[in-house]
Amino acid sequence: MLYKLSKSGKRFDSIEPMPFEGLPKEKHLEDLIAQNLFDVLFEGNELMPIKQERQWQPEADIYALNKQGDLVIFELKKDMAGGGALHQALRYCEEAAQDGYEALQRHYRKYRNDSALDLQEAHRETFGLEHALDRSAFNRQQHLVVVGSASDNALMRNVRYWKSRGLSIDFIPYRIYQIGGEHYFEFFSLPFDEHSNPGDTKGVIFDTNRTFNQDSIWYMCEGNRVAAFGSIKGIVHSFKRKDIVFLYHVGHGIIAAGEVKSGVLEDHKADAKYCEVKWLTPKPERGQPLKAMSAAQIKKVMGFNFWWAKTMKPPFLDRTESAKLVEALQEVLK
C-alpha cells in the first residue's frame, strides 16, 4: 500500500492510504510484465524466459527456467479473476510438466527466433555454470507464480490454500496509482521485495544489444549515449544523472564506462531511448581491435558474479564499487 505522509511543522504525524486501480485490459498487464519482468521488476532474481503466450492458445502467459532447470510459470490476472482462474493456471502447470528437454528447446528457439540455439548451452551461459545441466535435469519441478491485483482477495485466498497443501505456488500483487496526472506501477518481487533504492547513485553493467543488432555498439559509443531499443527501450528510465554505466559487449566483456549526464531522450528513427554519457574510459573505435574486460576478470575484481542474461545486469553497484570497477577497467583499456 502507498501512503501519503502529512506534516505538522517538521514532523510527519499522519498517513493517508492512496486509492489504487487495475489496468483496462489483461493484455496490457501481460505486455507490461513480459517486457520488464526480467530486467526491471525482478532485479535480484535469476530467471531465463523461454516462452510467451501465443494468441488463441490455451497456455500460461510466461514460461521461464531457473538455475536448477525448474520451470517457472507466470499467469497474469488484470483484476478480479474469478474462481476458475486459478484452476486454469493449475491446468497449464500440469500440462507444462509433460514437456521434456526437446519440447523446451523448441519453445526457446521459437521465443528467440533462432532455430540453431542449444538450450543446454544457453542455460549454462545464462547462469554462469561451470558445466551444463544434463538434459534430464530440465523441468523436474514446476513452480507457478500468479500475478494479480492486490485487491483480489478471493484469488489470494485460493493461492494460500494450494500453497498450504504443498503446491509450489506464489501470489505477486500489483497496484496502479494515479498521482498528479501520472500513473505509477507498484509490484512486489519474490522471495521478498528486493530492489536497490532508485534515488541512490548506482553503477550498472549494461548490454550493447549485440545479439540483436551488431551496430548498436557504435550507436552508443559514437553517439556518446547508453541506449535500449524496441520493446525494452523503456528500461533506460532506470538511469539517472551521475549513474555509472558499463557497456557490456557479449563475447567480449565491458568495453567502456561513462557517467550519465542527461535525462531520457528518444530517437524515433532508431526506435530507441537513450541517455547521454560522459566517458570515463577510452571508448572503442570502428576498425580497431576491441579491448574489453572479460566476465571472468570482472568477477575477479569485484569478488562476486553478475546476472549476465539481463540487459541491465544485477547486482547493481554502489558508488564505491563503481569507482573500483572503473579504475580496473581503465587499466585494461589503456
Side-chain angles (χ1 to χ4, degrees), residues 39-44 189 192-204 238-240 243 312-318 321:
D39 281 304
V40 179
L41 299 177
F42 272 67
E43 180 180 310
S189 58
F192 51 90
D193 197 33
E194 179 184 350
H195 286 281
S196 54
N197 188 338
D200 293 341
T201 298
K202 61 185 178 297
V204 180
S238 297
F239 288 115
K240 64 181 184 60
D243 282 349
M312 304 181 76
K313 306 178 189 303
F316 297 157
L317 307 176
D318 61 26
E321 291 169 332

Side-chain angles (χ1 to χ4, degrees), residues 98-137:
Q98 311 305 314
D99 285 347
Y101 174 83
E102 294 296 338
L104 296 179
Q105 179 160 264
R106 285 196 299 272
H107 296 325
Y108 182 63
R109 286 174 173 176
K110 188 169 184 177
Y111 177 73
R112 295 294 300 272
N113 195 28
D114 187 339
S115 61
L117 287 175
D118 182 271
L119 180 59
Q120 279 180 294
E121 181 59 20
H123 182 271
R124 186 195 67 77
E125 290 181 356
T126 295
F127 292 99
L129 303 178
E130 185 176 355
H131 302 290
L133 293 182
D134 188 84
R135 292 188 174 196
S136 63

Side-chain angles (χ1 to χ4, degrees), residues 15 107 151 188 203 259 310 328:
I15 59 174
H107 296 325
S151 62
F188 302 82
E259 180 182 337
K310 296 188 177 184

